[in-house]
Amino acid sequence: MIQQGQALPEATLSQLTKDGMVNHSTSELFANKKVVLFAVPGAFTPTCSEAHLPGYVVLADQLKAKGVDMIACVSVNDAFVMKAWGETQNAEEIAMLADGDGSFTKALGLEMDTATFGGIRSQRYAMIIDNGVVTTLNVEAPKEFEVSKAEAILAALG
């Protein structure tokens, strides 16, 4: 599993924008900025839709006031699903990133196998990234939702 102080692995994350599909290189996407990246097991799932993403939507301005350049949500879903989910959640301030094949999640060592429920998905986590380097990593215990909340990341920013 990736650790604090390590650089993010090189991978490609997809985003469906108003201008069409964009494939982001992680080395370029996270370069020269402070980013809050949080991951969910799946778009439109209960905890993710009722609490995780909405918390970041509500606190986006406060996070940005602490020097955060970008807030991003990633899931092992496709970019179409991530865009649709972001729209239903009024998540205009959040970059909704798709890790369609799970390669980014696996490179981080933060995958989990949900078997017939959905296959390989991401564990629930949040991290603060400074110029491509992980400075804070909060990984949830299974079935928990505490350390990756927007409030916890806001507190970690000081």
Side-chain angles (χ1 to χ4, degrees):
M1 177 171 51
I2 194 162
Q3 301 293 314
Q4 290 178 185
Q6 291 182 320
L8 287 176
E10 182 57 43
T12 301
L13 297 171
S14 301
Q15 182 180 20
L16 187 58
T17 69
K18 63 182 183 324
D19 300 320
M21 188 68 69
V22 178
N23 291 314
H24 298 285
S25 154
T26 53
S27 58
E28 293 174 14
L29 184 63
F30 299 113
N32 302 312
K33 37 177 109 71
K34 183 177 273 193
V35 179
V36 169
L37 176 68
F38 66 101
V40 298
F44 293 104
T45 56
T47 301
C48 306
S49 292
E50 294 164 12
H52 208 173
L53 178 55
Y56 283 94
V57 170
V58 169
L59 294 179
D61 290 341
Q62 291 180 52
L63 289 162
K64 290 189 174 185
K66 298 267 186 179
V68 172
D69 300 301
M70 178 174 65
I71 304 165
C73 176
V74 66
S75 184
V76 180
N77 284 114
D78 65 62
F80 298 97
V81 168
M82 292 301 287
K83 182 178 191 304
W85 187 42
E87 288 172 351
T88 66
Q89 295 283 326
N90 298 311
E92 296 87 16
E93 296 292 316
I94 315 292
M96 302 299 288
L97 304 174
D99 182 18
D101 64 357
S103 59
F104 176 67
T105 299
K106 290 174 188 171
L108 291 173
L110 290 168
E111 76 277 6
M112 64 177 177
D113 189 345
T114 64
T116 58
F117 177 77
I120 299 298
R121 296 294 181 111
S122 178
Q123 294 180 51
R124 187 181 305 280
Y125 67 84
M127 61 174 68
I128 301 170
I129 304 159
D130 199 347
N131 193 23
V133 175
V134 178
T135 59
T136 299
L137 176 61
N138 293 356
V139 181
E140 294 288 358
K143 309 277 187 201
E144 293 293 319
F145 177 58
E146 292 298 327
V147 300
S148 66
K149 291 180 178 181
E151 295 85 352
I153 294 302
L154 186 62
L157 288 165

